[in-house]
Amino acid sequence: MSWKEAFGPQVLQPRWSGPALQFFSDANALCRHLAKHMLTHPESLAWSVAFSSLDYVVPADDRDRLWRMRQAMGQQSEPPPELVAIYRDAIREAWEDAEQMDWIVTIGDVLVGFGTSAVLVLAERDGQRWFQRTAFLPGHGEPAEPRRELRSGRDASVGPYEPIHVRLLKRRAQAWTAQQRHYYLVFRVAVQAIRERHWTRSEWNENARPCDYALLKSKLPSPSQQIDDWLAARQRCGRMP
Amino acid sequence: MSDADRLRRTHLRAATRGLLDPRLVVERWLADAQSLSLLLGDEPGDADCQDAFDVVAARGRLRRADAELLWSLKGERTLAWLERTIQGDAGRELVRSALRVPDVAGWLRQAEQLFEECEVGVDFAWRAEVARTLITDLDDAQLVELAARQCDLADVPLAEQLAQAQDWLTRHPETFLAASVWIQSVGFALREDLAESDANLAGTSEKFAILLDEIEEAEADLSLENIPALPSVITQALFQTAGGTVDVAEDARRPSLPDEAREGWPEIYRIAAWRDLPRVSAAAAKATSQRGLSDRLCWESPDGTRRASLRMRDALDAGGETTITLAFERLPDSDELSLEDLVGKSLTLGGAEARIERREVGGEAVACAPIVVERMLAGTDEYLVLNVAGQTWWPAWS
């Protein structure tokens, strides 16, 4: 099965009254996005929490194998169909949820939506059609975080610094339900990341794009909201078993 | 300025443009604290050094947070959990464990590196992220050190190191300017009555006041607020008092001015005031011009009949250099004089050399000269001195 067959219909006719949405039509672009998001640690970890079926396809915590998968995909320009199918479903669900929850914003030729799974989708208008540009889990894709020298310890016995949500993932997540893991480790972090962005044009570089998805922040729930609110949103979108 | 005003700068641009979101800052502090409560539950005995450091710092941070914001975010329960966790012998153990984390020498190394990166123009977003991380880490370490003092675990070497770090920050506040919006938001996220309610805790917020002073100064410099507009009559008189005629025969390319004369020049004519210009593109120069900043940089001819002004809005990037226009105009009282006699004459502005050209703009002939910004600022003189055909022109304001 080719990746196009795995992806299914290339055009999504959304339930909202806007124009149709064209999914990735170029294998290279799709490979690039899969590699950058689903196959790059630590975002891969978050994807595997949000979409458990990914566990069978992606070794989310094994950086070496992730690297080999990225290499292979880059050489063949052909993403694994199973991976494509999960990505497609994630994107489709995110658009549907965004519409249902009104977590959707249009600014000029850019359309940004956010799903209850924490997938953020971004499309751009070209003529009469919206073209999918990217889909990712905000707040999880920053492998190059600044070093924390101060946290490196006054003596060698102090363990390395890790962000709190990563410590949670490693130590507590096993005792949680899948929904708790999804909420605390993925969704809440993503909302927080979006809300911390600013939509402003750089005064130093007119060509730099503003952070389009920062526009969503006024629509999203506060990260201090409780898991019950998120579960209710999931239910409303038909995402609960 | 009151203590509260030192932290809440309502007149800075980010505040007036509505970019600040102190609620978000407190949300982040709360979310981190909630994650810690999930991580440790009611059994903080499982905490390692890093967890302990985060718990002790989070408690200090939320105690220092604006009470109304904390209340509106339903943060009392989380703060109560933090207070409970820090109490008693178990709490003391947690503080003792937290004290093993802060490596202030490492912080200083990283801060020095950021300072150097500012000089070479590393990506702004990355610098903002590093600056924010550094400030947060220093703040956390100061909160932990304070907690230690308050439970009789004072760590004198750590306190001394942190004082050194704060001293470094005080001497190099510009290093952290990239995180300006976040710093301003933190200022608004702190409780207004902090100084009265807890002087020790207020001491940990001093670095934010220092950084806010720097932001305010930088913003004022950019908008020329700090620079009094000297009438050209005064600057001219200062020159004459100082005997400021330039000996062009001695060094026609780089005219120098007597020190007394330089003192009369407005600050904006100092080359140092424009030191960031070579890093910016034509687009940035235009943006600067749109804010009405640079077009006010003018010089008048010694006979008071002409004026030359820098037109940043015409900036062009080519061959790795940015070129701007120095435009000449007649002053109102000299209508009968033509600009044509300037055409073809050579000039120097700072370290840049140019020849005055005749251009048609809107059907009208104007005299102007292309100035390469990088060369202009490479001048050895401290000020932007304009010399036209051997004569030094006076700095003026349009």
Side-chain angles (χ1 to χ4, degrees), chain A residues 190-236:
Chain A
V191 170
Q192 204 164 289
I194 294 170
R195 289 170 63 88
E196 285 181 353
R197 294 290 185 273
H198 291 291
W199 191 87
T200 60
R201 201 167 282 283
S202 166
E203 291 183 356
W204 299 101
N205 183 359
E206 283 183 343
N207 298 320
R209 285 191 73 106
C211 180
D212 293 311
Y213 60 89
L215 291 164
L216 273 171
K217 69 165 136 182
S218 57
K219 298 209 166 192
L220 297 185
S222 156
S224 58
Q225 279 198 348
Q226 301 302 307
I227 188 170
D228 293 343
D229 299 311
W230 175 73
L231 289 172
R234 295 281 284 170
Q235 190 129 35
R236 196 172 143 196

Short mmCIF file of all heavy atoms in Angstrom, two decimals, chain A residues 190-236:
data_model
loop_
_atom_site.label_atom_id
_atom_site.label_comp_id
_atom_site.label_asym_id
_atom_site.label_seq_id
_atom_site.Cartn_x
_atom_site.Cartn_y
_atom_site.Cartn_z
N ALA A 190 0.53 21.40 25.98
CA ALA A 190 0.33 22.04 24.68
C ALA A 190 -0.44 23.36 24.84
O ALA A 190 -0.08 24.37 24.23
CB ALA A 190 -0.44 21.10 23.75
N VAL A 191 -1.47 23.34 25.66
CA VAL A 191 -2.26 24.57 25.88
C VAL A 191 -1.36 25.66 26.47
O VAL A 191 -1.39 26.82 26.05
CB VAL A 191 -3.47 24.29 26.81
CG1 VAL A 191 -4.14 25.58 27.24
CG2 VAL A 191 -4.47 23.40 26.10
N GLN A 192 -0.56 25.25 27.43
CA GLN A 192 0.34 26.20 28.08
C GLN A 192 1.30 26.81 27.03
O GLN A 192 1.54 28.01 27.04
CB GLN A 192 1.15 25.46 29.12
CG GLN A 192 1.69 26.32 30.22
CD GLN A 192 2.12 25.42 31.37
OE1 GLN A 192 1.29 24.83 32.06
NE2 GLN A 192 3.42 25.30 31.52
N ALA A 193 1.81 25.96 26.16
CA ALA A 193 2.77 26.45 25.15
C ALA A 193 2.10 27.44 24.20
O ALA A 193 2.69 28.47 23.85
CB ALA A 193 3.34 25.27 24.36
N ILE A 194 0.86 27.15 23.80
CA ILE A 194 0.16 28.07 22.89
C ILE A 194 -0.10 29.39 23.58
O ILE A 194 0.10 30.46 23.03
CB ILE A 194 -1.17 27.45 22.40
CG1 ILE A 194 -0.90 26.22 21.53
CG2 ILE A 194 -2.00 28.48 21.63
CD1 ILE A 194 -2.14 25.42 21.21
N ARG A 195 -0.53 29.31 24.83
CA ARG A 195 -0.89 30.54 25.54
C ARG A 195 0.33 31.41 25.82
O ARG A 195 0.20 32.60 26.06
CB ARG A 195 -1.62 30.19 26.83
CG ARG A 195 -3.04 29.66 26.55
CD ARG A 195 -3.67 29.12 27.80
NE ARG A 195 -3.84 30.14 28.80
CZ ARG A 195 -4.89 30.94 28.92
NH1 ARG A 195 -5.89 30.81 28.06
NH2 ARG A 195 -4.97 31.83 29.86
N GLU A 196 1.50 30.82 25.79
CA GLU A 196 2.70 31.62 26.05
C GLU A 196 3.26 32.27 24.80
O GLU A 196 4.23 33.02 24.87
CB GLU A 196 3.78 30.74 26.71
CG GLU A 196 3.44 30.47 28.15
CD GLU A 196 4.46 29.63 28.87
OE1 GLU A 196 5.39 29.13 28.20
OE2 GLU A 196 4.32 29.46 30.08
N ARG A 197 2.66 32.00 23.66
CA ARG A 197 3.16 32.62 22.42
C ARG A 197 2.50 33.98 22.21
O ARG A 197 1.41 34.23 22.69
CB ARG A 197 2.86 31.72 21.20
CG ARG A 197 3.60 30.42 21.21
CD ARG A 197 5.08 30.63 20.96
NE ARG A 197 5.81 29.39 20.85
CZ ARG A 197 6.34 28.72 21.87
NH1 ARG A 197 6.16 29.17 23.08
NH2 ARG A 197 7.01 27.61 21.68
N HIS A 198 3.18 34.82 21.44
CA HIS A 198 2.62 36.13 21.10
C HIS A 198 2.50 36.24 19.58
O HIS A 198 3.41 35.84 18.86
CB HIS A 198 3.53 37.26 21.56
CG HIS A 198 3.57 37.40 23.05
ND1 HIS A 198 2.49 37.83 23.77
CD2 HIS A 198 4.53 37.13 23.95
CE1 HIS A 198 2.80 37.85 25.06
NE2 HIS A 198 4.04 37.42 25.20
N TRP A 199 1.37 36.81 19.15
CA TRP A 199 1.23 37.06 17.72
C TRP A 199 1.65 38.50 17.45
O TRP A 199 0.85 39.42 17.51
CB TRP A 199 -0.21 36.85 17.27
CG TRP A 199 -0.32 36.85 15.77
CD1 TRP A 199 -0.17 35.78 14.95
CD2 TRP A 199 -0.58 37.97 14.92
NE1 TRP A 199 -0.30 36.16 13.65
CE2 TRP A 199 -0.56 37.49 13.59
CE3 TRP A 199 -0.82 39.31 15.14
CZ2 TRP A 199 -0.78 38.32 12.50
CZ3 TRP A 199 -1.03 40.14 14.03
CH2 TRP A 199 -1.01 39.64 12.73
N THR A 200 2.95 38.67 17.23
CA THR A 200 3.42 40.02 16.89
C THR A 200 4.46 39.88 15.81
O THR A 200 5.21 38.91 15.76
CB THR A 200 4.11 40.73 18.07
OG1 THR A 200 5.21 39.95 18.47
CG2 THR A 200 3.19 40.92 19.22
N ARG A 201 4.50 40.87 14.96
CA ARG A 201 5.49 40.86 13.91
C ARG A 201 6.80 41.43 14.46
O ARG A 201 6.77 42.38 15.23
CB ARG A 201 5.00 41.72 12.74
CG ARG A 201 5.67 41.42 11.44
CD ARG A 201 4.92 42.08 10.32
NE ARG A 201 3.71 41.34 9.95
CZ ARG A 201 3.68 40.24 9.24
NH1 ARG A 201 4.79 39.70 8.82
NH2 ARG A 201 2.54 39.65 8.94
N SER A 202 7.89 40.82 14.10
CA SER A 202 9.18 41.28 14.60
C SER A 202 9.49 42.68 14.07
O SER A 202 9.33 42.95 12.90
CB SER A 202 10.28 40.32 14.17
OG SER A 202 11.53 40.92 14.36
N GLU A 203 9.91 43.55 14.97
CA GLU A 203 10.27 44.89 14.52
C GLU A 203 11.63 44.89 13.84
O GLU A 203 12.02 45.84 13.19
CB GLU A 203 10.30 45.84 15.71
CG GLU A 203 8.91 46.07 16.26
CD GLU A 203 8.88 47.06 17.38
OE1 GLU A 203 9.95 47.52 17.79
OE2 GLU A 203 7.79 47.35 17.85
N TRP A 204 12.37 43.80 14.03
CA TRP A 204 13.71 43.74 13.46
C TRP A 204 13.75 43.00 12.15
O TRP A 204 14.71 43.08 11.42
CB TRP A 204 14.67 43.08 14.46
CG TRP A 204 14.74 43.87 15.70
CD1 TRP A 204 14.09 43.61 16.88
CD2 TRP A 204 15.43 45.10 15.91
NE1 TRP A 204 14.36 44.58 17.79
CE2 TRP A 204 15.19 45.51 17.22
CE3 TRP A 204 16.25 45.88 15.10
CZ2 TRP A 204 15.72 46.67 17.74
CZ3 TRP A 204 16.77 47.03 15.64
CH2 TRP A 204 16.51 47.43 16.94
N ASN A 205 12.75 42.22 11.89
CA ASN A 205 12.76 41.45 10.66
C ASN A 205 11.34 41.40 10.11
O ASN A 205 10.53 40.59 10.53
CB ASN A 205 13.29 40.04 10.93
CG ASN A 205 13.40 39.23 9.66
OD1 ASN A 205 13.06 39.71 8.58
ND2 ASN A 205 13.86 38.01 9.79
N GLU A 206 11.08 42.26 9.16
CA GLU A 206 9.72 42.35 8.63
C GLU A 206 9.28 41.08 7.93
O GLU A 206 8.10 40.82 7.78
CB GLU A 206 9.63 43.52 7.63
CG GLU A 206 9.56 44.87 8.30
CD GLU A 206 9.42 45.99 7.29
OE1 GLU A 206 9.70 45.75 6.09
OE2 GLU A 206 9.03 47.09 7.70
N ASN A 207 10.27 40.29 7.48
CA ASN A 207 9.92 39.08 6.75
C ASN A 207 9.60 37.90 7.66
O ASN A 207 9.08 36.89 7.21
CB ASN A 207 11.07 38.68 5.82
CG ASN A 207 11.33 39.76 4.79
OD1 ASN A 207 10.38 40.35 4.28
ND2 ASN A 207 12.59 40.05 4.52
N ALA A 208 9.94 38.04 8.94
CA ALA A 208 9.66 36.94 9.86
C ALA A 208 8.16 36.83 10.10
O ALA A 208 7.49 37.83 10.31
CB ALA A 208 10.39 37.18 11.18
N ARG A 209 7.65 35.60 10.06
CA ARG A 209 6.22 35.39 10.28
C ARG A 209 5.91 35.54 11.75
O ARG A 209 6.66 35.06 12.59
CB ARG A 209 5.85 33.95 9.91
CG ARG A 209 5.77 33.64 8.48
CD ARG A 209 5.13 32.27 8.38
NE ARG A 209 3.73 32.41 8.70
CZ ARG A 209 2.79 32.35 7.78
NH1 ARG A 209 3.09 32.17 6.55
NH2 ARG A 209 1.53 32.49 8.12
N PRO A 210 4.79 36.13 12.09
CA PRO A 210 4.39 36.08 13.49
C PRO A 210 3.97 34.65 13.82
O PRO A 210 3.74 33.85 12.91
CB PRO A 210 3.20 37.04 13.56
CG PRO A 210 2.72 37.20 12.18
CD PRO A 210 3.83 36.85 11.24
N CYS A 211 3.89 34.34 15.10
CA CYS A 211 3.49 33.00 15.50
C CYS A 211 1.98 32.89 15.36
O CYS A 211 1.24 33.35 16.23
CB CYS A 211 3.94 32.75 16.94
SG CYS A 211 3.49 31.14 17.50
N ASP A 212 1.51 32.32 14.23
CA ASP A 212 0.08 32.34 13.93
C ASP A 212 -0.76 31.66 15.00
O ASP A 212 -1.86 32.10 15.31
CB ASP A 212 -0.17 31.67 12.58
CG ASP A 212 0.41 32.49 11.44
OD1 ASP A 212 0.15 33.70 11.42
OD2 ASP A 212 1.11 31.93 10.60
N TYR A 213 -0.24 30.58 15.55
CA TYR A 213 -1.11 29.84 16.46
C TYR A 213 -1.27 30.52 17.81
O TYR A 213 -2.11 30.11 18.61
CB TYR A 213 -0.70 28.38 16.58
CG TYR A 213 0.69 28.09 17.09
CD1 TYR A 213 0.92 27.96 18.44
CD2 TYR A 213 1.74 27.92 16.22
CE1 TYR A 213 2.17 27.65 18.92
CE2 TYR A 213 3.01 27.62 16.68
CZ TYR A 213 3.22 27.49 18.03
OH TYR A 213 4.45 27.18 18.51
N ALA A 214 -0.50 31.60 18.05
CA ALA A 214 -0.72 32.36 19.28
C ALA A 214 -2.11 32.95 19.31
O ALA A 214 -2.67 33.24 20.38
CB ALA A 214 0.32 33.46 19.39
N LEU A 215 -2.73 33.12 18.13
CA LEU A 215 -4.07 33.70 18.07
C LEU A 215 -5.11 32.82 18.74
O LEU A 215 -6.19 33.27 19.11
CB LEU A 215 -4.47 33.92 16.61
CG LEU A 215 -3.69 35.01 15.89
CD1 LEU A 215 -3.86 34.90 14.41
CD2 LEU A 215 -4.13 36.38 16.39
N LEU A 216 -4.77 31.55 18.88
CA LEU A 216 -5.73 30.62 19.49
C LEU A 216 -5.87 30.84 20.99
O LEU A 216 -6.82 30.38 21.60
CB LEU A 216 -5.24 29.19 19.29
CG LEU A 216 -5.63 28.47 18.00
CD1 LEU A 216 -4.85 27.17 17.93
CD2 LEU A 216 -7.12 28.19 17.96
N LYS A 217 -4.92 31.55 21.58
CA LYS A 217 -4.84 31.50 23.04
C LYS A 217 -6.09 32.03 23.73
O LYS A 217 -6.45 31.58 24.80
CB LYS A 217 -3.59 32.19 23.55
CG LYS A 217 -3.50 33.67 23.41
CD LYS A 217 -2.36 34.12 24.32
CE LYS A 217 -1.47 35.11 23.68
NZ LYS A 217 -0.37 35.49 24.54
N SER A 218 -6.74 32.98 23.07
CA SER A 218 -7.94 33.54 23.73
C SER A 218 -9.09 32.53 23.71
O SER A 218 -10.06 32.67 24.45
CB SER A 218 -8.36 34.82 23.01
OG SER A 218 -8.57 34.53 21.65
N LYS A 219 -8.99 31.52 22.87
CA LYS A 219 -10.10 30.56 22.75
C LYS A 219 -9.90 29.31 23.60
O LYS A 219 -10.85 28.58 23.85
CB LYS A 219 -10.25 30.14 21.29
CG LYS A 219 -10.60 31.29 20.36
CD LYS A 219 -11.39 30.79 19.19
CE LYS A 219 -12.04 31.95 18.46
NZ LYS A 219 -13.04 31.51 17.50
N LEU A 220 -8.68 29.07 23.99
CA LEU A 220 -8.39 27.80 24.67
C LEU A 220 -8.66 27.88 26.17
O LEU A 220 -8.62 28.97 26.76
CB LEU A 220 -6.93 27.40 24.43
CG LEU A 220 -6.57 27.12 22.98
CD1 LEU A 220 -5.13 26.63 22.88
CD2 LEU A 220 -7.50 26.11 22.36
N PRO A 221 -8.88 26.75 26.81
CA PRO A 221 -9.10 26.76 28.25
C PRO A 221 -7.81 27.08 28.99
O PRO A 221 -6.72 26.89 28.45
CB PRO A 221 -9.55 25.33 28.55
CG PRO A 221 -8.95 24.51 27.46
CD PRO A 221 -8.93 25.39 26.25
N SER A 222 -7.95 27.55 30.22
CA SER A 222 -6.78 27.82 31.05
C SER A 222 -6.11 26.50 31.42
O SER A 222 -6.79 25.51 31.68
CB SER A 222 -7.23 28.54 32.31
OG SER A 222 -6.31 28.35 33.33
N PRO A 223 -4.77 26.47 31.45
CA PRO A 223 -4.10 25.23 31.85
C PRO A 223 -4.42 24.84 33.29
O PRO A 223 -4.19 23.71 33.69
CB PRO A 223 -2.62 25.55 31.71
CG PRO A 223 -2.51 26.87 31.07
CD PRO A 223 -3.83 27.54 31.14
N SER A 224 -4.94 25.79 34.06
CA SER A 224 -5.26 25.45 35.44
C SER A 224 -6.63 24.76 35.55
O SER A 224 -7.05 24.35 36.62
CB SER A 224 -5.22 26.69 36.32
OG SER A 224 -6.12 27.65 35.85
N GLN A 225 -7.34 24.65 34.41
CA GLN A 225 -8.61 23.91 34.45
C GLN A 225 -8.32 22.44 34.74
O GLN A 225 -7.24 21.94 34.50
CB GLN A 225 -9.32 24.04 33.11
CG GLN A 225 -10.07 25.36 33.00
CD GLN A 225 -11.10 25.33 31.90
OE1 GLN A 225 -11.10 24.42 31.09
NE2 GLN A 225 -11.97 26.31 31.88
N GLN A 226 -9.33 21.78 35.22
CA GLN A 226 -9.12 20.41 35.68
C GLN A 226 -9.38 19.39 34.58
O GLN A 226 -9.99 19.71 33.55
CB GLN A 226 -10.02 20.13 36.89
CG GLN A 226 -9.76 21.08 38.05
CD GLN A 226 -8.31 21.04 38.53
OE1 GLN A 226 -7.77 19.99 38.83
NE2 GLN A 226 -7.65 22.19 38.56
N ILE A 227 -8.96 18.21 34.84
CA ILE A 227 -9.07 17.13 33.85
C ILE A 227 -10.53 16.87 33.46
O ILE A 227 -10.83 16.52 32.31
CB ILE A 227 -8.40 15.83 34.37
CG1 ILE A 227 -8.35 14.77 33.27
CG2 ILE A 227 -9.05 15.31 35.63
CD1 ILE A 227 -7.51 13.56 33.59
N ASP A 228 -11.45 17.12 34.41
CA ASP A 228 -12.86 16.86 34.10
C ASP A 228 -13.36 17.73 32.95
O ASP A 228 -14.20 17.30 32.15
CB ASP A 228 -13.73 17.12 35.35
CG ASP A 228 -13.43 16.10 36.44
OD1 ASP A 228 -12.83 15.06 36.10
OD2 ASP A 228 -13.79 16.35 37.60
N ASP A 229 -12.88 18.97 32.90
CA ASP A 229 -13.30 19.86 31.82
C ASP A 229 -12.82 19.32 30.47
O ASP A 229 -13.52 19.39 29.47
CB ASP A 229 -12.70 21.27 32.02
CG ASP A 229 -13.18 21.87 33.32
OD1 ASP A 229 -14.39 21.85 33.57
OD2 ASP A 229 -12.33 22.33 34.10
N TRP A 230 -11.61 18.79 30.47
CA TRP A 230 -11.07 18.24 29.23
C TRP A 230 -11.84 16.98 28.83
O TRP A 230 -12.17 16.77 27.65
CB TRP A 230 -9.58 17.93 29.43
CG TRP A 230 -8.94 17.24 28.27
CD1 TRP A 230 -8.62 17.80 27.06
CD2 TRP A 230 -8.55 15.87 28.18
NE1 TRP A 230 -8.04 16.86 26.24
CE2 TRP A 230 -7.98 15.66 26.91
CE3 TRP A 230 -8.61 14.79 29.06
CZ2 TRP A 230 -7.49 14.44 26.49
CZ3 TRP A 230 -8.11 13.56 28.63
CH2 TRP A 230 -7.56 13.39 27.37
N LEU A 231 -12.15 16.15 29.83
CA LEU A 231 -12.90 14.93 29.51
C LEU A 231 -14.27 15.29 28.92
O LEU A 231 -14.75 14.64 27.98
CB LEU A 231 -13.08 14.08 30.78
CG LEU A 231 -11.80 13.39 31.29
CD1 LEU A 231 -12.03 12.74 32.65
CD2 LEU A 231 -11.30 12.36 30.28
N ALA A 232 -14.87 16.36 29.47
CA ALA A 232 -16.18 16.79 28.95
C ALA A 232 -16.04 17.24 27.50
O ALA A 232 -16.89 16.95 26.65
CB ALA A 232 -16.72 17.93 29.81
N ALA A 233 -14.94 17.96 27.22
CA ALA A 233 -14.70 18.41 25.83
C ALA A 233 -14.50 17.21 24.91
O ALA A 233 -15.03 17.17 23.80
CB ALA A 233 -13.48 19.33 25.79
N ARG A 234 -13.77 16.22 25.39
CA ARG A 234 -13.53 15.01 24.57
C ARG A 234 -14.86 14.31 24.28
O ARG A 234 -15.11 13.84 23.18
CB ARG A 234 -12.61 14.03 25.32
CG ARG A 234 -11.20 14.54 25.55
CD ARG A 234 -10.33 14.41 24.32
NE ARG A 234 -9.86 13.06 24.07
CZ ARG A 234 -9.25 12.71 22.95
NH1 ARG A 234 -9.05 13.59 21.99
NH2 ARG A 234 -8.84 11.47 22.76
N GLN A 235 -15.69 14.27 25.33
CA GLN A 235 -16.99 13.62 25.17
C GLN A 235 -17.83 14.35 24.12
O GLN A 235 -18.44 13.72 23.26
CB GLN A 235 -17.72 13.65 26.52
CG GLN A 235 -18.97 12.80 26.55
CD GLN A 235 -18.95 11.87 27.76
OE1 GLN A 235 -18.45 12.25 28.81
NE2 GLN A 235 -19.48 10.69 27.60
N ARG A 236 -17.80 15.65 24.24
CA ARG A 236 -18.59 16.47 23.30
C ARG A 236 -18.15 16.24 21.86
O ARG A 236 -18.94 16.32 20.93
CB ARG A 236 -18.39 17.93 23.70
CG ARG A 236 -19.39 18.87 23.11
CD ARG A 236 -19.22 20.24 23.71
NE ARG A 236 -19.47 21.25 22.70
CZ ARG A 236 -19.12 22.51 22.80
NH1 ARG A 236 -18.52 22.94 23.90
NH2 ARG A 236 -19.38 23.36 21.84
#
